[in-house]
Amino acid sequence: MIPTKIRLLKNKKRNRTLEYKPIFYVIEPEMNALITGGTKGIGFSVAKCLGAAGYDLLLSYNSDTLTAQKSCGELEKSLNISAIALKADSADPKSIDIIARHIENRDMRLDVIVFNAGLTCRDSFETMKRDDWERVFFANVHFPTFLLQRLLKRINEGGSIVFTGSLMGILPHAMSLSYGVSKSAVHALVKNLAKFLAPYKIRVNAVAPGFVDTEWQKNKPSEIRQSIESKIALGRFCEPDELAEVYKLLIQNPYINSEIIVVDGGYSYK
């Protein structure tokens, strides 16, 4: 930058020359991301990743207010961004209004939505109840579909939607029929939404994680973990921060659309 000189006539007997460097302020446009289920586990790792990339964050959570506040405080302090926690249970239809009204009342624009909140039911096929089946499907399929419908006109052109699918939506899941089938529906939803979102110039993709080393997985008995690891070519669970980078790739690469990206380390390779 070339210094600028100005001449000051403060004394009739002597002219003085002052040299200074102009200050230019670069105003960067705001980037806003909504992450459902964003205060724990995979969602929180994605929040950290996007926060580091400069996004302000709106993170919904189910019930753990203390953890949600702590997570947002950590993000704001370490990344110098805005991080807001919003209590909204993805299994409750009222949560669609809660999230949408928060955004509408503040006239927010969105660049990214990550539909990460999900639910499972581990009852056996013989004992599961229809209410539980429908609750899982509402949280995993209906909630993101109709929240996206509500927020569609608030997403900027060039925006990106990422769903959290699952390897269990591709491979049979012996522990939860409702989870596996609902995640298969999420993958189909992504493929179909690409057509409907094309006129808005909004991309939509999904990440289908295998076994990720979140707190829930860390609490599994060691023999079960070892059995799972023996089926993974890389011999270990995925780290949440590794997985978050895949979400960021889908968000930042402008040509990836309508894809289900499996991140399983080579599961069932033998």
Side-chain angles (χ1 to χ4, degrees):
M1 185 182 297
I2 301 174
T4 301
K5 292 183 179 181
I6 62 172
R7 184 169 298 278
L8 301 177
L9 300 176
K10 288 191 174 182
N11 191 312
K12 293 181 179 179
K13 296 182 179 179
R14 184 176 63 181
N15 291 337
R16 294 191 307 159
T17 299
L18 176 66
E19 186 178 88
Y20 76 97
K21 294 182 179 180
I23 299 174
F24 292 91
Y25 294 93
V26 178
I27 301 176
E28 296 181 351
E30 287 185 355
M31 298 189 299
N32 295 311
L34 164 65
I35 305 174
T36 66
T39 60
K40 290 183 178 180
I42 292 171
F44 184 58
S45 290
V46 175
K48 288 190 293 183
C49 190
L50 294 186
Y55 286 86
D56 288 328
L57 305 171
L58 176 59
L59 310 178
S60 77
Y61 68 98
N62 183 4
S63 59
D64 190 348
T65 300
L66 184 62
T67 296
Q69 292 175 342
K70 181 179 178 182
S71 296
C72 286
E74 177 184 327
L75 291 166
E76 290 187 328
K77 183 177 180 180
S78 62
L79 301 175
N80 193 29
I81 60 167
S82 170
I84 298 172
L86 183 63
K87 186 175 182 179
D89 181 357
S90 61
D92 185 349
K94 294 178 182 177
S95 292
I96 293 173
D97 276 339
I98 290 172
I99 295 174
R101 285 176 181 170
H102 179 94
I103 291 169
E104 291 163 357
N105 290 343
R106 289 157 181 79
D107 198 25
M108 287 177 60
R109 304 291 302 175
L110 295 172
D111 301 282
V112 172
I113 301 178
V114 177
F115 288 114
N116 174 69
L119 190 65
T120 189
C121 173
R122 293 184 171 274
D123 292 345
S124 68
F125 176 65
E126 293 82 2
T127 62
M128 70 177 181
K129 297 177 176 59
R130 190 175 73 178
D131 287 349
D132 293 328
W133 173 273
E134 292 176 348
R135 182 176 170 83
V136 170
F137 264 81
F138 184 87
N140 295 352
V141 183
H142 307 329
F143 169 77
T145 300
F146 289 98
L147 179 56
L148 176 58
Q149 181 193 62
R150 179 78 174 266
L151 296 177
L152 183 58
K153 293 184 178 180
R154 292 200 163 269
I155 304 171
N156 289 326
E157 185 175 302
S160 176
I161 313 297
V162 183
F163 285 78
T164 297
S166 176
L167 179 64
M168 301 304 111
I170 300 170
L171 301 178
H173 188 1
M175 296 303 296
S176 177
L177 181 64
S178 59
Y179 185 81
V181 176
S182 66
K183 287 299 184 178
S184 293
V186 167
H187 298 168
L189 178 62
V190 166
K191 292 292 186 180
N192 283 271
L193 274 175
K195 294 286 187 181
F196 290 91
L197 297 180
Y200 299 93
K201 294 183 171 57
I202 296 170
R203 295 178 300 107
V204 57
N205 295 284
V207 178
F211 292 88
V212 184
D213 216 9
T214 58
E215 286 300 319
W216 185 77
Q217 294 287 4
K218 287 178 179 178
N219 291 329
K220 283 187 173 179
S222 59
E223 60 271 17
I224 294 179
R225 284 182 61 97
Q226 290 169 7
S227 174
I228 294 169
E229 289 168 348
S230 71
K231 300 174 184 177
I232 300 172
L234 294 180
R236 63 177 179 85
F237 284 44
C238 179
E239 292 296 329
D241 289 347
E242 292 175 315
L243 186 65
E245 291 292 336
V246 181
Y247 285 78
K248 186 172 77 168
L249 169 67
L250 294 178
I251 289 164
Q252 293 185 339
N253 189 302
Y255 200 69
I256 302 178
N257 194 27
S258 188
E259 293 295 339
I260 315 299
I261 307 298
V262 178
V263 185
D264 64 2
Y267 182 75
S268 291
Y269 84 108
K270 64 180 179 180

